[in-house]
Every structure is written in structure tokens, then in C-alpha cells.
Amino acid sequence: MSDSNSAVTRMHKYNPELTDLVFDYMRDRLAMPEVPLDFPGDKQVLAAALAGLIKPEGNPAADVLKLYDKVVSRAVVSGDSPRFMAFIPTAPTKAALLFDMIVSCASIQGISWLEAAGSITAENQVLRWMADVAGLPQSAGGTFVSGGSAANLAALTVARETGRENRGLKNRAPVRIALSKQAHSSIGNSLAILDVEPLIVETAGFAMTVNDLTIALAKCDPNEPPVVGVVVTAGTTNAGILDDLSGIGKFARENKLWFHVDAAYGGAGLLAPSTKSLFVGIELADSITMDPHKWWFAPFDVAAILYREPRLAAAVHTQDASYLDVLHEDDDVINPTDLAYHLTRRARGLPLWFSVAVNGTKAYSDAVEASVQLTREVAELIRTHPELELVIEPSLSVVLWRKIGWEAKDYRDLQDRLITNQTAFVTPTSWQGETVGRFAFVHPGTTIEMVKEVFAAL
Amino acid sequence: MSDSNSAVTRMHKYNPELTDLVFDYMRDRLAMPEVPLDFPGDKQVLAAALAGLIKPEGNPAADVLKLYDKVVSRAVVSGDSPRFMAFIPTAPTKAALLFDMIVSCASIQGISWLEAAGSITAENQVLRWMADVAGLPQSAGGTFVSGGSAANLAALTVARETGRENRGLKNRAPVRIALSKQAHSSIGNSLAILDVEPLIVETAGFAMTVNDLTIALAKCDPNEPPVVGVVVTAGTTNAGILDDLSGIGKFARENKLWFHVDAAYGGAGLLAPSTKSLFVGIELADSITMDPHKWWFAPFDVAAILYREPRLAAAVHTQDASYLDVLHEDDDVINPTDLAYHLTRRARGLPLWFSVAVNGTKAYSDAVEASVQLTREVAELIRTHPELELVIEPSLSVVLWRKIGWEAKDYRDLQDRLITNQTAFVTPTSWQGETVGRFAFVHPGTTIEMVKEVFAAL
């Protein structure tokens, strides 16, 4: 019995050698002044390198770790390198990284008050800080989910159900939600999942204004499904543009439309003195998405969904099952798991909590401001460069630029050249049908010199 | 400039003292022969302990870590303790835990082939193993999401859209999906999000059979929305029951119904020689949910969603945005991010990959079998106990039991008594309207002696 038991628990026993191996690897990584950018990989080469690894008897840990270090990890472009300027990078603080390891190490979850009062209290403390930064009332609350897509879906589900409820509509009655074409793809995909027809608001400029919205609503046929909510973006992923939060927010409240603010990327701009004022009106939101793994310096993957009235979300998302009854004995208790579409959840908000507690909120403001200032320097560099043009004036920390005369292929060639030389990871985007260059800055270690290296490679 | 730069990058600089502090904490935790079960917490006491922590200037890291260690973490019941027998516990191997820390440490993501070919190749290797275990064809593929709820939603979205497509129905046309009352709460919540009306199949026994399904379908009015899919459960969370996978699977294929198997908890039973045969028919699935953070010994949070034809999922879930065009230049490439409702994603499958590669698949089979054997021993203990009864015969590793004469309050008092004494975390459930005792075993370190300690406290 004890022999057989020790055999089956072998995988769960402390192994000092394996621990040393992994700890040494991690310390080396943490101590790097700048992590390597690394490379795209070849599917066939990688598959060949890993072939046969999964087998009944296993492999020496040192061999597998070496394979990971030398082959697998080299074929992952490091999102946390200051030279990663594509999509939206990540830039976790060392405190946040280290605490994310603790969450892993101790299997810390944040499901229900019954099981996880400690981690939930800490997560709620940092959520309250985010709510304060956005100016939400004391009633506000929320939870952390795995990404902006999940956060937007959670919020829009509540928008749909609350909209039906307020209008006395039955289950599955058709309703619509308004958004502009600049909204993130996850908004469109959320609405598709929800079977909610989008009302696409035509915008006179690049940002959606209350005027755009009222024109779109005025054109609606009263026989069409009612519009129950509106989604605005506080910092589009593609270009960093903010919709008219204040005008649309007031209109939404007056007209009983759910007001969802997608600030997945941009929300951290609330922390920077020079961009804070762009967010006036966000305090009117019924729900806000903000992703700590973007510009709040937390590691993958974590997004916050905040609700003005969390009880509306709990009414929609609470999962009802016999074995879970014990979590809901007290009707007043709202568990994190009741506030989005998830059940088991890692306490993924703790790394942000620890890092903010240790570093202080001022360091966060300074670090976000640094990216805003870098963006302005880069914009000036482009303005004064004979062959470059700004495509639009940047608002937060995304820069769209063109090189005069360049076509799509030129930008793609640049991307390849830059990653081959490990200068930067920069991918093009499209703007009004034109392929253009794009930077997104969130890492405070990204410097104007690094951007100059990119331009030197044009 | 360099001064101001060093100020804003302070949070991102290597800090040997902080690293030592956290590494020492983690090593102590990893070296524990058995992690403490720990306690429920008091909301007010916890809030008071953390009050004022978030402030502009921050706090010494050692103080915050101490507060976490002494206060916060003590109020999180350890899901990875072998004495945690409630809900579905978690039981990560040391290799999986350590590798999850590496994923944190190096911000390893698994979004697209362009950025993350290395981590995706490794994740796909372990997904292929899971698909092989389930007997899915070579066409199969999938991705890892944050939990079973997200996996089920991803699959049922594809079920709905494929069902509409196959029947020539327009966008948002009403359709239904069949399930039994024993299906997990997340299935019902997924269908609610999807605006899909559930067809609740009445079951003659506790498991759904093909006969139950055909009777329910025969009763349908042809004017009602068409049924496009059926969800079966391979190991209910509440009681470990498996529906008739083989009968329903064949019927579903013959009748062009999407066949989704929710094996979130139970799927690992495929690895145990003594329960493998219960899963015959799972190989017919169009989609399968299996959660590595349950019985596959991976840390929170990770669930696998596997599709028979991943291209059907990519057609539904791929997010379309200008700045993402570069990910989809090759039409044949399917990114992990295209296979569920997510975009940015931690490479959350790597801890399982590393642990299986190191420990070998046989160790996994042995460890799962250990919980099945423990379940049988516990069932025998109950059968021969003068005051206890088995509520139903266990199939996998969930045991429902009653003490003769006990009422709901007795089970709740037992729960409190056991956690106060750190004997075990055991919560009641309800079965046919009766409150009963429940164990769920997934940790190979859980012993019959620990269960005897629970019964000694009755």
C-alpha cells in the first residue's frame, strides 16, 4: 500500500533537483536587463524537434527544459520585450511577475467567498482602486477574467438581459446594441455569440459622437428590434482613438441604454496626468472593460470587468447547481464567479494587487505617462522626417505612420527585416483601406532610440 | 533623460531582494509534504487587515508578502490539499506547477502562429495526446481556454452556427439544443448566453440514454425551432454519472446533430484502465471539453476544447480586425485564438505539456486509477458502515453518501467541524431533493485514512 501509494504520488512529491533547475532558469530570465525578442518559428521544424516526446515512461526533466529553452521558447516572440511594438504588448512589473508565480505555486483561486475570502478581498481591493480611477460609484464591483473578449462578452450579456427586463420583453426577444465600426472585433464577436443584431453607427469622424448615435437611432424603424445599449471605445486597439464618452454617456443614461465602455487597452490612460481628461464620461458607464495585462503592467492573462451595479450581473451569470448551493446560502453574497461567464478561476487579479501595493499608484501613473510622452516624441520624429507622415494624430500610445510611396509589401518586408535583426517586432495594420505602419507602446523600457533603430531600417 | 528613464523603469528592473523573498516563499510551499488546508475567512476582518494598502508611495515588499502569507493566504481553502474533497479539487503535479511559473515568468503566450509557433506546437502536441486518448480522428484539434465554462460556450457557439448553416437557416434563426437535467450548470448558462432554447430531455434513469433522447425528439412540434445538437456529460460534476455516449453519439451522427461531450471533470477517466470502457462513444464527438486543472493534474486555470473539425470552429470564432490581418495571411493557418472566444491568451497548456513529457503518460494513468480505486474503497467502507448508505453507485471518483437520519443542517455542521479541525473540506450537495454528503477525489495523495477521519467526525 505505502509502496504503491508512493508510486502514484511521485509526480506530486517535492523534487529539489527539478525545483533548482526551474528556479535557476527563472532567475536567469528575471535578471536579464532586457529579454530577447526571439523569433517566429517554423511549424515543421518545431514539430520534428518535439516528436516522440509524449510517451509512457517520460523523459528527464533537464532534457525537456533544455528543449523548451533552446527550441520552443526561441520561437515565441516576447510580448514583454521593450522592442515588441506590435498588437498590444505586455509589460509586467517584476513584482507582478513574481506574484503570478506565487499564484501558480500555491494554486490560489478566487471562486467564492466560502473558499477564497482572502484572495477575493485582495482582488476586490485593487478592483476598487480601478473603479475609483474611473470615477465609478461605491456600488461598483466586478471581477477579473482571462481577457478583454471575455470581459466584453460578460458585460454585453448583462446589457442584453437588463435591456429585455427593463422593457418587459420575453426571453430571447430580439434586441440590438449600437457600436461604431472602430469598436474592437471582440464586440462584434460578442454580439454574434449573443445573437444580438449590431446597430452600426456611421461616424462623421473617426470617433463616435453623440450626434452620430442620435442620427443612427433616428433612422431606426420602430418595427425593428429595440436598441438596448451602446458600446463606446476608450482607446481603439488599432489607433488609440476615444469615442465621445461624455456625450454618449449622458445620452445613454437619459435614454436607458446600457452604456458599456471598452477600455481594454486604453483604460490605463486614466492614470497618466496628460491623458486623464480624455476619459471624462467614463464614470457614467454601466460596465467597463480594462485589461491589466495590457497597460497596467500585469502578466498574461487578466482583464477586469467592472459593473456600476454588480447585482445586475450576478442575476445573469450566477451558475445554479446542486453542488454549488453552499456558495449561495447568503443571498447578499456576490462571488467573483457570479459576475462573468466562468466558474473555476485562478486568482488572476492578485499579481496586480501585489504590484500596486508594493510599487504604489504614483509609479503606475509615471510609467503610463512615460509611454504617452514617448508617443509624442515619436509623433514629432515622424512629423519632422522627410519621408514619413503621421496617419492620424495619436491620442494615447498608438502611432499610425506611413512612409511616402510604400505599399503593403514594403511594410511586411520591414516586419521581417526587423525581427530577423532583433531590432523590433512591428506589424502593419490597415487604415481607411491603406496598409500603414503601426506602433503600440506600453513598456516603459521602450526608448526613442529603439524607435529610431526601426526608422533607420526603412 | 536617463535619470527619468530609470525612475519609470524601476518597477521593471530586476530586484534580487524581492526575487529572493518570493523564491524562498515558493520553495517553502513546494517543499511541504502536504499543503495546509487553511480556512474560510471573515470579510470584515480581511478588509480591515488590507485597508490603506493601496496608496501613492507603495509599501515595502516584505511587509506586503507577510500580510499575504499570514492573513490573505490563510483565508483561501487550498484546492490542492489532498484533504480538499469538495466541488472538484485540483491536484497539480510539481512539474506542472513549476512550469506554470515559467509561463508567468516569461510572459509566454499562445495567440498566433506568427508570434508563438513554439508554444503552440507544444500545446498542440499535448492536445493531440488528449485527442488520441479520446479516439478522435487526425483531423481533430483545439485549444486551451480558462475553464470548462469557456470551453462549453466555445463549442456550443459552433454547434449553433453549424446547425444553422447545415439547415440553410439565416443568422439568428431560433434553434434548440438537447440536454438532460444532469448537465452541468455551464451548459444551461452557455445556452442562455447563446439565446438557444434548451430541449430538456427527461431521463428514465440518472444517465441520458438514446431512448430518452428519441422520445424527447419525437414529442417535438415541427413548428418549434429545430434541434441542432445534443450535449452529453461524461462524468457529471455532482455525481460522476456518464450518459450513454455510444448510443447518443451514433444517433447524433446519423441525424446530423452536433454531438458535444462535456467531460470537463470526467474525461481523465479515459486514462484509468478500470474506467476507460465507460467512455466508448466519445470518439464520435464533434467537440469535447476536458479540464486539465481538474483530474489531469495541471494548475488553475486551464480547460481543453477539442473539435473533430477545427475549421468549423475557426469559421465562427476568428476575430477580424485590421491590426490582426497579419495573423491570417495564410488561409490554411488556424491559430489557437481562432478556436474559442478569446484573443490574448497565456500559453496555459504548457504546464500539462511539460508534466506529461517529464512524467510520462503511464504515471498519469496510474494517478487517475488511484482515485478510482480510492473511490471503490470508500464505497465499500460506506456499504459496510452501520450508519451510512451509498446514495448511488459511484462511476468515477465522486461519492454521494448519507448518514441515516441526517438533515441538511447536520451536513453543514460537519462541513464547519471538519474545516475548523483541518480534517478535510467536504461540502454537501443535493440529490433528488435530499441534502447528502459528497466527496470528489482527484488528488493521488488523498488516502482512505483521511476519509476515515471524516467519518470519525460524523
Side-chain angles (χ1 to χ4, degrees), chain A residues 310-322:
Chain A
R311 66 187 168 77
L312 296 175
V316 170
H317 287 298
T318 300
Q319 295 198 27
D320 182 24
S322 306

Side-chain angles (χ1 to χ4, degrees), chain A residues 145-437:
Chain A
V145 295
S146 63
S149 295
N152 285 331
L153 177 64
L156 294 176
T157 307
V158 183
R160 185 190 69 183
E161 293 307 305
T162 305
R164 284 174 178 156
E165 177 87 18
N166 289 347
R167 285 160 186 77
L169 298 172
K170 62 183 201 304
N171 282 349
R172 296 185 285 279
V175 295
R176 291 187 295 170
I177 289 179
L179 70 158
S180 88
K181 276 192 183 137
Q182 301 292 332
H184 188 255
S185 52
S186 65
I187 301 294
N189 283 41
S190 284
L191 295 181
I193 287 173
L194 290 165
D195 260 0
V196 166
E197 188 183 343
L199 173 69
I200 303 288
V201 176
E202 299 294 332
T203 57
F206 299 128
M208 177 164 58
T209 64
V210 67
N211 200 36
D212 297 329
L213 177 63
T214 52
I215 290 171
L217 290 171
K219 283 186 190 161
C220 289
D221 184 326
N223 294 320
E224 289 174 313
V227 176
V228 300
V230 56
V231 178
V232 300
T233 310
T236 59
T237 311
N238 198 37
I241 295 166
L242 291 97
D243 291 328
D244 169 18
L245 304 188
S246 182
I248 296 174
K250 281 177 206 154
F251 179 87
R253 298 207 75 72
E254 283 159 13
N255 292 276
K256 304 234 182 303
L257 299 176
W258 186 277
F259 181 46
H260 177 65
V261 180
D262 180 2
Y265 147 63
L270 282 158
L271 297 172
S274 68
T275 51
K276 185 173 171 49
S277 64
L278 299 174
F279 293 82
V280 170
I282 198 171
E283 72 283 359
L284 301 171
D286 290 301
S287 51
I288 307 177
T289 294
M290 298 195 275
D291 292 6
H293 67 205
K294 294 195 166 86
W295 207 4
W296 299 76
F297 314 117
F300 296 133
D301 43 22
V302 57
I305 177 65
L306 286 167
Y307 300 96
R308 183 173 216 84
E309 295 294 346
R311 66 187 168 77
L312 296 175
V316 170
H317 287 298
T318 300
Q319 295 198 27
D320 182 24
S322 306
Y323 75 102
L324 298 176
D325 285 348
V326 71
L327 305 183
H328 302 115
E329 289 175 345
D330 179 346
D331 283 346
D332 290 337
V333 166
I334 297 182
N335 298 302
T337 207
D338 301 332
L339 292 174
Y341 185 60
H342 55 190
L343 194 54
T344 297
R345 59 179 293 279
R346 176 183 177 92
R348 52 170 42 77
L350 290 186
L352 178 65
W353 168 79
F354 182 74
S355 179
V356 174
V358 168
N359 291 302
T361 57
K362 176 156 191 317
Y364 272 69
S365 288
D366 293 347
V368 174
E369 184 67 44
S371 296
V372 174
Q373 292 308 323
L374 174 67
T375 303
R376 293 176 184 188
E377 281 185 77
V378 171
E380 187 55 26
L381 201 64
I382 293 169
R383 269 187 220 102
T384 56
H385 192 292
E387 296 172 289
L388 298 178
E389 289 177 346
L390 270 180
V391 174
I392 54 161
E393 282 297 320
S395 302
L396 295 171
S397 68
V398 174
V399 182
L400 300 189
W401 54 274
R402 72 168 64 82
K403 180 165 173 185
I404 296 163
W406 266 25
E407 294 178 359
K409 188 176 177 306
D410 298 309
Y411 293 97
R412 280 293 281 110
D413 288 348
L414 174 68
Q415 173 186 323
D416 292 342
R417 213 151 61 229
L418 292 172
I419 194 75
T420 302
N421 297 333
Q422 298 282 284
T423 307
F425 188 54
V426 172
T427 55
T429 187
S430 78
W431 181 256
Q432 311 270 88
E434 175 193 0
T435 299
V436 299

Side-chain angles (χ1 to χ4, degrees), chain B residues 6 9 42 46 91 222 265 341 346 363 365 379 381 397 400 416 427 434-435 442 452:
Chain B
S6 86
T9 58
D42 182 282
L46 286 160
Y265 147 63
Y341 185 60
R346 176 184 178 92
S365 288
L381 201 63
S397 68
L400 300 190
D416 292 342
T427 55
E434 176 193 359
T435 299
V442 307
K452 285 178 182 168

Side-chain angles (χ1 to χ4, degrees), chain B residues 122-137:
Chain B
E123 284 191 312
N124 282 359
Q125 182 172 38
V126 76
L127 282 166
R128 182 64 247 169
W129 172 59
M130 296 175 84
D132 284 341
V133 166
L136 289 178

Side-chain angles (χ1 to χ4, degrees), chain B residues 312-386:
Chain B
L312 297 175
V316 170
H317 287 297
T318 299
Q319 295 198 27
D320 182 24
S322 306
Y323 75 102
L324 298 176
D325 285 348
V326 71
L327 305 183
H328 302 114
E329 289 175 345
D330 179 347
D331 284 345
D332 290 337
V333 166
I334 296 182
N335 298 302
T337 207
D338 301 333
L339 293 174
Y341 185 60
H342 55 189
L343 194 54
T344 297
R345 59 180 293 279
R346 176 184 178 92
R348 52 171 40 78
L350 290 186
L352 178 65
W353 168 79
F354 183 73
S355 179
V356 175
V358 168
N359 291 302
T361 57
K362 177 158 189 316
Y364 272 68
S365 288
D366 293 347
V368 174
E369 184 67 44
S371 297
V372 173
Q373 292 308 323
L374 173 67
T375 303
R376 293 176 184 188
E377 281 185 77
V378 171
E380 187 54 25
L381 201 63
I382 292 169
R383 268 188 221 102
T384 56
H385 192 292

